Amino acid sequence: QVQLVESGGGLVQTGGSLRLSCAVSGRTFSMFAMAWFRQAPGKDREFVAAINWSGDNTLDADSVKGRFAISRDGATNTVYLQMNSLKPEDTAVYYCAARLTYDSSWITPHIESYDYWGQGTQVTVSS
C-alpha cells in the first residue's frame, strides 16, 4: 500500500521560507511522478508544482514561479517543496500527490491524473 506523509508546514511571516517534505513508502519511489497541490479555505484544490520520476523536468504554477521549487531525493524516497518569499495568499493546506508511471518523462498539472495523496500539511503566512 502506498503512503505519502507530508511534513514541514507551519506559521511564517510574509517574505519568509518553509520547506515541505513528503515521504513515500510502499512502492518503488523512482517510478512515481510527484506533485504538490494546495487548498485554501473555500477554494478548490489547485496545482502548485510537479516533477517527473527521473527528476529532470519540473512544472510550476504561474503563481509560484521563481519563488517555489520542487525536488526529489531517491535515496530517502522524499519529494520536497522549497517555498521562498511567501505571501499571505500562499496560506493553504498543501498536499503531496503521486502517480505510478513507467514513463520517466510523464508530468502533468492535472489533479485528476494523480492516484495517491497525503493527508496535507497546513501553511499559514501572516501579513
Side-chain angles (χ1 to χ4, degrees):
Q1 183 177 353
V2 177
Q3 286 191 314
L4 282 64
V5 180
E6 300 101 331
S7 60
L11 174 64
V12 64
Q13 292 185 330
T14 297
S17 298
L18 282 174
R19 189 176 79 157
L20 304 183
S21 300
C22 173
V24 182
S25 63
R27 291 292 296 266
T28 304
F29 176 67
S30 61
M31 296 183 70
F32 282 108
M34 304 295 300
W36 288 95
F37 291 80
R38 67 186 181 186
Q39 188 166 19
K43 295 189 176 181
D44 292 335
R45 195 170 297 188
E46 65 174 8
F47 171 73
V48 176
I51 188 167
N52 65 337
W53 65 247
S54 57
D56 58 0
N57 193 15
T58 61
L59 286 175
D60 300 304
D62 288 343
S63 59
V64 306
K65 278 188 190 298
R67 300 189 300 123
F68 291 11
I70 188 171
S71 62
R72 62 191 295 156
D73 184 346
T76 59
N77 293 352
T78 303
V79 63
Y80 300 99
L81 184 68
Q82 179 66 45
M83 305 187 295
N84 300 323
S85 302
L86 283 160
K87 306 175 181 180
E89 50 265 43
D90 294 318
T91 294
V93 177
Y94 283 71
Y95 296 91
C96 176
R99 160 76 177 251
L100 184 65
T101 175
Y102 293 93
D103 181 356
S104 64
S105 64
W106 191 92
I107 189 170
T108 184
H110 301 301
I111 191 171
E112 64 274 12
S113 297
Y114 291 89
D115 302 315
Y116 304 99
W117 292 84
Q119 82 289 349
T121 185
Q122 176 70 48
V123 172
T124 303
V125 185
S126 63
S127 56

